[in-house]
Structures are given as structure tokens and as C-alpha cells.
Amino acid sequence: MYILTRDRLCFIIVVMKIFYKRPLAFCLAVFLGFCLIFFYISPVIKLIVFTLSLAAFILLMFKGRHLDRLTGVLLALVISSSLSFIYFDLIVYDEINLNMNKGRAEAIVDEITYQEDHTVFFNGRILKLEGKNVEYKCNVGSFVLPEEIKEGDVIRCELTFSEFPEDNYGFNEKTYYRARGIWINADIETEDGFEIIGHKDNRATEFFNNVRTYCTALFDRYTDSDTAALLSALTVGDKAELDDSVRRDFTRCGVSHMLAISGMHLAVFMGCISLFAGFLKIRKRVISLIVIFFCLFFIFITGASASVLRASIMFIIMALGDFVKRDKDSLTSLFTAVSLIVVISPSSVFDVGLILSFTSTLGIIIVVGSVMRRLKSETKPLKRFLSSIMLSIITTLSALSFSLLPMVLCFDTFSLAGVVSNLILNPLITAILFCIPVFFILSPIHLMCLAVGAVLDILVDPFLYLISVISSVSGITVSLNYPFVYYTLIAYGVGFVTAFIFRKKIYFLMSYLLWILCFTLSVLIYNGSYNQEADVLFSSQGGNDAFIIRKGADTLYIDFGKGSSTSAKRSFYMLSRELYSCELDAWVVSKYSDRHKTTLYNYTKLQHIDYIYLPVPRDETESVIAEETESSCLENGAKVLYYEYGREFCINGVKVEISAPEYIKDSSVPVQSGEIEYSGEDIAYYGKGYFEIGDSLYDAMDIVIGEAGSGKRQSVSPELECERLIITDYNETAGKNVDSDKRILLDDEKPYIKMRIGQKN
């Protein structure tokens, strides 16, 4: 039985107080709550809930006691739009599913995401399918396209439909594309029948593309390359020239939101424009019109992302309030902005960027308002300065505290340096953003552009340097896949409930800090529980064998495979999901190849890796690859060390020995063996085909026979003894004479095994 206790009553009163005299904000909050709660539930349940809600709200609207008519009209619009979204879920998408095979289609190319030679990936709209008029968005890919296509081309081809995977090595493609209104995936598997039948020009799109090109060209002309790449990302959302290592550093520092154009960027731009307009003594109502025009222009020039739409609509609503001389309410503006986005694009409820933008802005509105009032009441300069610093801290914490829950649910990693990085970097990023409008206003004057460009270079250099320094610290990013993560959220929930009960907004911030403390302590205790043990994960798939060893906070990756990027991607996914780590202390390469060189270059940009271990080169070809690999890795912050084949070397207490690559007759792929030892236990590894030529065998407790090596099935089986034999289904013959206490067979369904080695004290 539900009992209305004093605490629960206080909670309800505080919630009512927040929405007091804001019926529109309250009703739209109810709607958004339904969207977020029910979008994973059956569409039939959604239909029932929204139909009942619509009836209730219409009755309240005509009754006229608690809701004004404007609220009822807008809410009816919102719910009817939601019903159309559910209709698409129930009927149209099911119809697509029924035809999810091959079909002759006509489509228009909207956005090309990748194109090289005969390979292309693009987002488009299917106009006709098997002669029937349709209209829905689709993601299309092809490796056999006979000719180059351009955005705006209308093509006719044979499409093979498929659904997006929900878990592509930790990336939920289905949710990602749904957030962009794209519900189906298609492939052009044959060039037969492919033809370009027309072209549709979009002059508005072409105009804004030209504006973006002009902006980036202006940055390139007056600033250095690193500054220009960052300014293009901050101004027009163009991250094409931004180095992957810089993006990695932003993520590791917990300030990736600074790269995603949102309310912070727009607020600084608006502040600069308002200051400039005030200097020219322009009337407030004219300034409001300028703000509205700039927001609309900014939406199109940045690509109309969800976070930009949310911020721009809020500013437009508040500017309209100034124009018609009415009171402004940030909370109502926020909910109205998000609701309008959902009305226009119902699939945006899947957009993580919109959810994070909404929750962080909500936190700032709820918590920071009272602090702002106190700041304005201060008259002494020193107190105003200290209050502004405190305001910056509280703003950062309020945004982080309210966006914590969706962040934990949607991402795999968390930066422990987030709070500190935001406090250190916020003044610099604010100064950079403030200079950007000044740069464009003064762009007709060459000398002034040079001066402002020099100032931007001076500001960006220390900004990027600080980010790289913070990012270089090992252990600042931790995995959110630990089994105790959701238990630590109890502390966060307790803080939130306490804030509501005692009506202390500062407790919202305390709940975030309390969660960080509990989470960090839990990670330290978990890592300390390893003692003299280590977790070992062996993966064998597609001719790629790899060992991932975790000992406390130290992680080692030994690659016996081909060095493919797919293998590395799969290994990093399992590193986070199975071993609860997101950083590598060392990556050991077993042999040289151009593929290894490319993969190492790409992944040292994307991931934090302290050391790369390469074998001592044996000829000129290997020396060239080693030199190029070392240069690229050092550029991305990873140090390179060398080891000798056949000699034992030690990495963080783990002893490793790898044999030189050898070739089997009629095989172009070399085979290798190796041994891993830690705390008195060892694992022997043999590649496929090694027993055909290798006579150097290890006396180990565990034996692993992998897939990397010769393409032929092994026919030779040595007489060996071990406690545990791990073998792939391709190598059953090679293990028939191995005497083991336990035999583990890896197959395509589960191509990996996790085990623990070492001795407990």
C-alpha cells in the first residue's frame, strides 16, 4: 500500500514549485517523459498511453481550471505528431520489414559520408521501390559502384535491405541512425542496372556550403593549421581537418562537449553580438531581431544538429519575449524548444546529443539561477571576482550532475579529469569563442584580421597544449562496464532525493561529487583485488589471434594476427566489455607488415597507448617499416621499444617470449609461437601450422592453438601435457595427441575465452 509520507510530500511540493505558473512547461515535461520512458516499449502500448493522454488533456483544456488554452492546443499538436510517429512505427516500418530483401529502387543522394574509387557510403531518400512511390531515409553503401556520384544525384539501382546492428563492437548503429531519422540500411551489391537518371539542385544547401567553405578558408588564411582546424570545428561544425589525436584528447579530458556546437557556443556568440550592438547604441527590439536572424542562420550553417536546434530555439523564444516586451522563462523555453524538435523530428528522442544537451541545460537553469541573483547583488570588485569563479564551478558541476545518468547509460568510458579539465579550460574556450565573431566582423580589414588571427593563435596554442598534457596522464579514463557501476548510482540517487527533500540545490552538485568518490573508490578496490593474479583474454577470429592481459590497472595487448583494424577494434571492444579497461599500457607486435603499421598509426590516434613493442628488424624492409611506425607512434604520444625474437622480455611483471616468423611450404603466411608467464603460471601459444615445422615446444600449464598462420589445417599433433588446452575448431587434429585435464573449443559463436592466471597470496 502506498503511504504519502512527509518526505514524499516534500518531494512532490518541490517539483510543483519548480513548475509553478508554468503549465506549458509542466505538460511538455510530461510528454517528454512519456517519449523517453516508452520509446523502447511496444508501439501498441505507446498508442494506448498517448490516446488516453490526449483525451485527458483535451478535457482539461475545455474545463479551463488548471491549464490555459494555449497549453492544450500545443499539447494536442505534440501528441498528434507523436501518434504519427507511432503510425510510422506500426505500419510503415513493418511494411519495410516485410520487403526487407532485394528491390529495384530510385533514390536521391542527400549526403555522401565516404567516397573513394568504387566505394561509396551515403545517406539518401528512397523515392520509389518496385514502382511504388515511397518516401523514407536510408543509409546506402557499395563497393562496386561503376561511376562517381554527387550529392543531389537521382539514381536507379538494385538495393538489398537489412537492419542496423544494435551492437557493432559496442556501437549501437540502430539507435545512432534512428536519431537521424534513418530507419533502414541498404547495399548496392551489383553494378548491373545502376544508372544516374537525374540531378536535383538545392540552392539553399549550396549557399550554406559556400558560407562554410568561406569561413574555413578565412581561418586557413589568417591562422596556423591547428588553430584553423579547431576554429572550423567550433564555428561551423567542420571537423574534417581536426586531427584524430586532438579528438581523443578532448574525450580523455572529459571536454568533448566543447567540440560539439551547443548552447555554450551560441551564448558566447550572442553575448559578443549584443555587446557590439550595445556599443553602437542599437535599440533592444532591433537587437532581438538580430538575435533571431543570427540563430536561424546559425542553425543552417552548422548542419542543424539537435543541440544547436535546442539552443537556437531557446534564444529565439527569449528574443521574441524581449521583442513583445513579455517576461522570459528559461525553463518553459527549454521544454518548448525540445518539444518542437521532437514534433518536427520524432526520431530525435533517440539522439544522445539532444538528451545530454537537454539535461545539462536543465541542471544549469535549476541550480545556477539563485547564484546569479547573488552575484548581481555583490558590489565589491573582489567579491564579484570570487563569485564569478564560484559561478563557473557551480555551472560546470550542475551541468555534469544532471547529465550523469544518460552519460552512464549511453557511453562506455568516463573521464575522472572532467571537472578539473572543465574548470581549467572554460576561461580559454570562452575567450576563443568571444574572438571568433570579432574576427568575422573585422574580416573586411586585412590588418585587423591579422591581429585577431594572431590573438586566436596565442589562445589556441596553450588550450591544445593543456588538453594534451591532461590527456597524457595514465588512468584518467575508466570503463563504465564495471559490474558495480549501477550500484554506485545509488549514492547519486540519494543525493538527488536529498536535494529535493531539503530544498538545497547545492545538494545536486554534492550528489555528483559523491558518485565520483564512490565510483573511484570502487575502481581502486577492484583493481587492488587482483593481488598476484591476472585476467587473460584470448581471442581467435578470422586468422587474427590476440592475448589481452590485465593485471590490476595495467593492461597488455599481444597481437599474433595480421594486424587488421577489425581485429584491433574487436580487441578494444572486449578490453572494455570483458576486462573493464579502456587504456593500454603496452601493445606488442609479433611481426612486421604494412597493415600493422597502418593500424598502429590509426589506433595510437584513437586510443591512449603508453608503449609499442616492436621486434628488432632483421632486414632493410623491416627497418623501413619500423622507422615509419616509430615516427607515427611518437607523433601520437606512444613510445616505441624493441625486443628480440626467441629472448624473454618483461612488461609490468608479465614475461613474454615470441619466436621468429617461419614459413610452411606452399604458404605465404608465416607462423609463430610464444610463451606468456606471470606469477608462476604460463601459457604457451602455437599458430596454425607451427607443428609442421617447429620443434621448439614450451612446457606450459595452458596451451593455446590459434588460427593465425598457415591457411592449411594442421595434420601434425605433438605429444604434450597440460592442464588446459584451448583450441579452435580448425585445429582439432593438431590437438589430438595433447593430454589435457580440460579441453576448451572455440568456435564462430564464441571465438574468445577469459581466464585467470597467477597465485593468490
Side-chain angles (χ1 to χ4, degrees), residues 248 252 468-477 553-557 572 581-588 600 603-605 607-613 630 633-641 651-652:
R248 175 202 65 196
R252 284 180 54 75
S468 65
V469 168
I470 298 171
S471 173
S472 64
V473 178
S474 296
I476 62 169
T477 54
D554 300 326
T555 310
L556 167 64
Y557 176 53
F572 275 104
S581 179
C582 53
E583 294 184 359
L584 272 185
D585 292 275
W587 182 327
V588 180
L600 285 169
Y603 269 86
T604 49
K605 278 187 170 186
Q607 303 286 342
H608 176 79
I609 303 170
D610 287 331
Y611 295 97
I612 304 293
Y613 283 79
E630 183 172 357
C633 291
L634 286 173
E635 179 186 334
N636 296 327
K639 299 177 183 177
V640 176
L641 301 174
I651 307 173
N652 295 335

Side-chain angles (χ1 to χ4, degrees), residues 3 39 45 84 106 192 427 453:
I3 301 174
F39 73 74
I45 297 177
S84 67
E106 287 184 13
D192 296 337

Side-chain angles (χ1 to χ4, degrees), residues 162-397:
S162 62
E163 287 198 76
F164 292 108
E166 293 191 20
D167 191 356
N168 183 10
Y169 301 121
F171 176 59
N172 191 328
E173 286 190 23
K174 190 172 184 177
T175 301
Y176 174 81
Y177 282 106
R178 273 195 173 192
R180 285 146 184 80
I182 300 172
W183 295 75
I184 203 75
N185 186 44
D187 294 298
I188 305 173
E189 296 180 343
T190 176
E191 62 182 51
D192 296 337
F194 176 87
E195 57 180 326
I196 299 175
I197 60 175
H199 184 83
K200 291 186 177 180
D201 288 320
N202 190 326
R203 293 189 177 181
T205 302
E206 186 177 349
F207 169 75
F208 287 111
N209 285 337
N210 290 335
V211 172
R212 280 193 286 270
T213 303
Y214 171 77
C215 292
T216 54
L218 208 60
F219 291 138
D220 288 334
R221 182 180 178 187
Y222 290 103
T223 61
D224 63 34
S225 57
D226 291 339
T227 303
L230 181 65
L231 295 179
S232 296
L234 296 176
T235 308
V236 296
D238 182 7
K239 302 183 182 71
E241 298 301 320
L242 197 66
D243 198 85
D244 287 335
S245 59
V246 176
R247 301 190 204 189
R248 175 202 65 196
D249 292 343
F250 270 85
T251 302
R252 284 180 54 75
C253 292
V255 293
S256 54
H257 62 278
M258 291 182 180
L259 277 180
I261 300 177
S262 60
M264 178 185 74
H265 302 69
L266 198 57
V268 177
F269 293 158
M270 290 293 102
C272 182
I273 291 171
S274 298
L275 188 66
F276 188 76
F279 177 75
L280 297 176
K281 296 183 179 180
I282 299 174
R283 289 185 301 171
K284 285 187 176 181
R285 299 185 76 176
V286 177
I287 293 175
S288 300
L289 292 176
I290 294 172
V291 167
I292 293 170
F293 173 78
F294 180 82
C295 287
L296 293 172
F297 183 77
F298 195 70
I299 288 172
F300 291 106
I301 199 176
T302 55
S305 67
S307 55
V308 172
L309 280 172
R310 191 273 310 157
S312 299
I313 294 173
M314 277 191 70
F315 274 105
I316 289 171
I317 292 172
M318 309 228 0
L320 284 172
D322 283 336
F323 186 78
V324 298
K325 297 182 179 180
R326 294 289 185 272
D327 291 337
K328 298 176 290 185
D329 182 69
S330 299
L331 196 62
T332 300
S333 299
L334 172 64
F335 279 101
T336 304
V338 178
S339 298
L340 285 173
I341 294 170
V342 176
V343 167
I344 296 167
S345 176
S347 59
S348 57
V349 295
F350 297 98
D351 195 329
V352 178
L354 177 62
I355 295 171
L356 290 174
S357 176
F358 167 69
T359 52
S360 57
T361 307
L362 180 63
I364 292 171
I365 291 172
I366 290 176
V367 178
V368 178
S370 57
V371 181
M372 285 288 290
R373 286 190 291 271
R374 291 181 185 179
L375 179 62
K376 290 178 180 178
S377 63
E378 294 291 348
T379 55
K380 295 182 179 180
L382 180 60
K383 285 189 175 182
R384 284 185 67 86
F385 175 72
L386 294 175
S387 297
S388 63
I389 295 175
M390 184 59 65
L391 175 65
S392 175
I393 295 172
I394 291 175
T395 302
T396 300
L397 288 175

Side-chain angles (χ1 to χ4, degrees), residues 688-744:
K688 187 166 64 173
Y690 181 80
F691 299 137
E692 305 281 342
I693 57 170
D695 55 0
S696 176
L697 304 178
Y698 301 103
D699 182 18
M701 298 177 66
D702 298 321
I703 293 178
V704 176
I705 305 177
E707 283 189 20
S710 169
K712 301 186 298 181
R713 290 180 179 269
Q714 299 193 64
S715 58
V716 177
S717 177
E719 294 185 359
L720 292 170
E721 292 184 2
C722 64
E723 291 185 4
R724 183 167 42 188
L725 173 65
I726 300 160
I727 190 169
T728 63
D729 51 4
Y730 289 96
N731 291 310
E732 290 184 88
T733 304
K736 66 181 181 180
N737 291 332
V738 178
D739 183 13
S740 60
D741 297 335
K742 188 176 182 180
R743 190 182 186 94
I744 300 170

Side-chain angles (χ1 to χ4, degrees), residues 414-441:
F414 174 76
S415 174
L416 296 175
V419 175
V420 176
S421 299
N422 275 280
L423 296 177
I424 293 174
L425 298 172
N426 261 334
L428 275 173
I429 194 67
T430 303
I432 292 168
L433 291 173
F434 190 84
C435 288
I436 290 174
V438 177
F439 179 78
F440 285 114
I441 291 170

Side-chain angles (χ1 to χ4, degrees), residues 17-84:
K17 184 180 178 182
I18 291 175
F19 293 103
Y20 180 63
K21 292 184 179 179
R22 296 183 179 116
L24 176 59
F26 177 73
C27 294
L28 298 182
V30 172
F31 160 70
L32 289 171
F34 279 150
C35 279
L36 296 175
I37 292 170
F38 289 113
F39 73 74
Y40 277 132
I41 297 177
S42 165
V44 177
I45 297 177
K46 291 184 197 175
L47 184 61
I48 295 170
V49 170
F50 281 117
T51 303
L52 293 175
S53 302
L54 179 62
F57 285 127
I58 289 175
L59 287 173
L60 286 171
M61 179 184 71
F62 284 110
K63 199 170 183 180
R65 290 184 180 178
H66 302 291
L67 301 176
D68 55 80
R69 291 181 181 275
L70 178 61
T71 300
V73 170
L74 284 175
L75 204 59
L77 174 65
V78 165
I79 295 174
S80 61
S81 301
S82 302
L83 290 174
S84 67

